Amino acid sequence: AIRASFNSQPGDWGWHMPFIQVTMLTGHPQELKHDLMRGIADATIKAMGCKPDSVRITINEVPAEDWSRGGEPISAKMQREE
């Protein structure tokens, strides 16, 4: 899940925006997360024409037992698939 918020007025590409939050399951290698952040930043800079230093990205990691799809914890599905 990716959510972006913009803290400036349209046309005002100040240093407060954009702020992009990525939510993903825990367990991904740090290098993959860094690559993801670089890719998102590059795409945001290109699409919005904002300054690189204005792009803020956080990754929120959620354990599989705290995430569900269709009401079933992802951890239960993962155990069945092993």
Side-chain angles (χ1 to χ4, degrees), residues 6-75:
F6 306 97
N7 299 325
S8 300
Q9 297 296 320
D12 174 20
W13 307 114
W15 84 290
H16 294 290
M17 58 95 27
F19 180 72
I20 300 165
Q21 296 176 311
V22 178
T23 304
M24 62 194 310
L25 292 173
T26 56
H28 295 281
Q30 196 66 39
E31 184 177 339
L32 182 139
K33 293 185 286 186
H34 289 172
D35 289 345
L36 176 63
M37 287 188 279
R38 276 190 291 276
I40 291 170
D42 290 346
T44 302
I45 293 161
K46 182 178 178 183
M48 298 184 70
C50 54
K51 296 177 183 175
D53 285 346
S54 71
V55 179
R56 306 289 195 265
I57 301 167
T58 61
I59 294 180
N60 303 304
E61 295 183 277
V62 179
E65 60 269 9
D66 292 338
W67 191 317
S68 73
R69 183 171 9 165
E72 178 183 18
I74 297 290
S75 57

